[in-house]
Amino acid sequence: MTLTSHQAETAARPRVRALAAYYAAALAIRVSDAGMPVAVVLVTLDGLGRGGAAFAGLLAACLTFPHMLGPLSARAVSLLPSARSGLVTAFALFAVSFLAAGVFLHQGNPLPAAAALLVTGFCGPIATGALSSHLGALLPDEQRAQRRAQSADSLTYAVSNSVGNSLVGAVAALLWPLATVFVLASLAALASLLVSFMPLEETGRIARGQASMKNVLLATVRIRQLRAISIITYGNFIGYAALVVLSTSFARERGLPASTGPLLLSVMGAGSLLVAGWFVVRPLDFDVVRTAKWCAMGGGAAMVVPAFGDVWVTAAAFLVVGGCQALLNTAALAVRREASPPELRESVFVTMAGIKIGMGTLGLALAGLLPSHAMSYGFVAAGVLTIVAGAVPRSAK
C-alpha cells in the first residue's frame, strides 16, 4: 500500500515531535552538566569567603570523580521499572541534589554540599550516556538517518560545552553566584519533564535484568568493536582533557595574556561545532571504528604541535583537535548503538560515558602536576598517548 504525501506527513509528525523533545532535553541536561563545575567554584568562593579557595577544587572534583562509578550508575538505572522512569528519576535527582549542594554552599556548609555533589556526579553518566542510547529508537533503522542523528547528538555536546560556562558567567555577573545553581538545576528539571513525553524503547524487565555490572563490563571487553572504541575514547580523552590545563600553561610559558588559554579552548570548541555541523548535513558513511582510529591519531598529532609552534600555529592545531573530537564522538555513538546487545545498550552507554569522564579527570590531574616550564612535554605526552590509543585496536569486524 502506497501512502499519499499527506498520510506520510501525518505519520512522520510523532517522530518529529519525539526528536524535538530529545534534542531539547539533550541540550538542557548537557548545558546543565557542562556549567556545573564552574558554578560550584563561584558559589564556593562566594559562600565561604577567603577560605573557599581551599575547597573549590575539591568540591568541583566531587562532581567528576563519581563518573568513574559509571558501571554502578548503569546498574542502578537498569533496576528501575522502565527506561522512561529511569531517565526521569535520574534527571530529577541530578537537579535536586545540585540545588541542595548550592544552598549548602551558600550557607557555608561544605560537607553536606560535598555529599550532595557526589550524588549529582553519580547521576552524571546517566545524564550524558543513557539519553544517547535511546536516540536510535526514535528514527528509522537506516544508516544514513542514524548517522545524521548521531552527528546532531555530538553537536549538542559541542554546543553545551560552549554555552554552559558562558551561561554561568553571564548569570553570575548579572545576578549573583547562587542564581547559577538555580538556572542549571532548572535546566536539568526541564530535561526530566521533556523525557517524560518521549516514546522510549523498552526492552522489558527480564531483558533489563540482564544488565548486571559483570555482563556490561564483559560486553565492552569481548565485543571487538566495543573494546576498540573503549581503548580509543579512553586514551584520547585523557589527552583531550589535559588540554584544558596545558592551554593555560602554554600562555604562561610564552608570556602571553592569561586570556590566551580560554581563547584556544574556544577555538577547539569552534572546530567541534564546524565538523559536527558538517556531518549533520552530510552523514558519516565510513567504517566507524576506522574513522575513530584516524580521528584519534590525527587529533593526537595536532596535540603535539603546540610544543613546537607559536600561538597561531597552536590555534590551528586546537581547531584540528576540536574537529577530530567531534567526529570521534559521532563514531563512538554509532559503535555503541550498533555493537551493543539491545538488552545492554543503555548500560553500555552509561558505563562508557562515565569511565570516559573519569579518564578526563585523570588527564586534568596529571596535567596539573606539570610545572609550567615542562608544558611542551605535556603536549607531547598527551599527543603520543592519543596516537597510541588510536593505533592499537584493529578496525576489522
Side-chain angles (χ1 to χ4, degrees):
M1 177 179 176
T2 304
L3 294 177
T4 66
S5 59
H6 176 71
Q7 289 174 323
E9 181 181 347
T10 301
R13 284 175 185 169
R15 180 175 295 153
V16 172
R17 287 196 293 267
L19 285 173
Y22 174 89
Y23 288 118
L27 280 170
I29 196 69
R30 289 164 187 169
V31 167
S32 177
D33 182 63
M36 282 181 177
V38 176
V40 166
V41 172
L42 292 176
V43 177
T44 301
L45 295 175
D46 181 64
L48 302 183
R50 292 183 178 179
F55 288 98
L58 291 174
L59 289 168
C62 288
L63 278 172
T64 56
F65 173 75
H67 283 72
M68 288 295 291
L69 303 177
L72 282 175
S73 301
R75 184 55 178 160
V77 77
S78 73
L79 293 175
L80 292 170
S82 67
R84 180 180 289 105
S85 65
L87 288 179
V88 169
T89 301
F91 288 9
L93 185 58
F94 192 70
V96 171
S97 59
F98 185 66
L99 182 61
V103 172
F104 283 131
L105 286 174
H106 183 69
Q107 295 173 344
N109 297 313
L111 291 181
L117 289 172
L118 288 171
V119 174
T120 308
F122 184 79
C123 295
I126 303 172
T128 56
L131 188 59
S132 290
S133 71
H134 295 285
L135 174 59
L138 304 178
L139 296 154
D141 192 16
E142 187 265 322
Q143 180 174 291
R144 186 175 178 84
Q146 292 284 335
R147 297 286 170 79
R148 174 178 280 117
Q150 288 151 359
S151 292
D153 206 28
S154 179
L155 185 61
T156 66
Y157 282 104
V159 171
S160 299
N161 289 333
S162 299
V163 171
N165 292 333
S166 301
L167 177 65
V168 168
V171 172
L174 293 173
L175 300 174
W176 68 98
L178 184 61
T180 64
V181 172
F182 286 99
V183 170
L184 296 180
S186 297
L187 285 172
L190 173 61
S192 178
L193 179 64
L194 289 167
V195 166
S196 68
F197 294 105
M198 287 169 51
L200 300 183
E201 182 181 46
E202 299 292 348
T203 56
R205 285 297 301 270
I206 296 176
R208 288 169 67 83
Q210 298 175 11
S212 66
M213 288 176 56
K214 177 183 176 182
N215 288 344
V216 173
L217 292 172
L218 284 177
T220 62
V221 173
R222 289 177 174 174
I223 298 174
R224 179 177 292 178
Q225 286 185 298
L226 291 178
R227 182 173 66 246
I229 207 65
S230 296
I231 294 170
I232 294 167
T233 54
Y234 298 162
N236 165 79
F237 210 67
I238 293 175
Y240 179 77
L243 296 181
V244 174
V245 175
L246 293 174
S247 61
T248 303
S249 299
F250 175 86
R252 187 184 303 119
E253 195 268 343
R254 301 293 173 89
L256 298 168
S259 60
T260 302
L263 285 173
L264 288 172
L265 296 177
S266 298
V267 170
M268 188 163 65
S272 293
L273 288 169
L274 289 170
V275 171
W278 172 261
F279 282 99
V280 171
V281 177
R282 299 178 64 87
L284 177 67
D285 59 359
F286 312 120
D287 176 89
V288 283
V289 174
R290 186 173 290 115
T291 298
K293 284 170 59 68
W294 282 107
C295 284
M297 290 188 287
M303 289 180 194
V304 175
V305 170
F308 310 102
D310 61 16
V311 67
W312 295 108
V313 172
T314 297
F318 270 63
L319 188 71
V320 171
V321 170
C324 289
Q325 191 67 27
L327 187 51
L328 195 158
N329 286 342
T330 299
L333 291 170
V335 172
R336 293 173 196 170
R337 166 74 186 171
E338 296 166 11
S340 300
E343 70 276 9
L344 301 181
R345 183 176 293 136
E346 183 181 58
S347 295
V348 166
F349 268 79
V350 174
T351 296
M352 294 182 69
I355 296 176
K356 173 184 167 182
I357 299 299
M359 293 295 104
T361 303
L362 176 61
L364 284 169
L366 292 174
L369 295 175
L370 286 172
S372 59
H373 66 268
M375 171 273 303
S376 59
Y377 297 107
F379 280 114
V380 171
V384 169
L385 175 62
T386 303
I387 291 170
V388 170
V392 167
R394 293 180 293 174
S395 58
K397 295 182 180 180

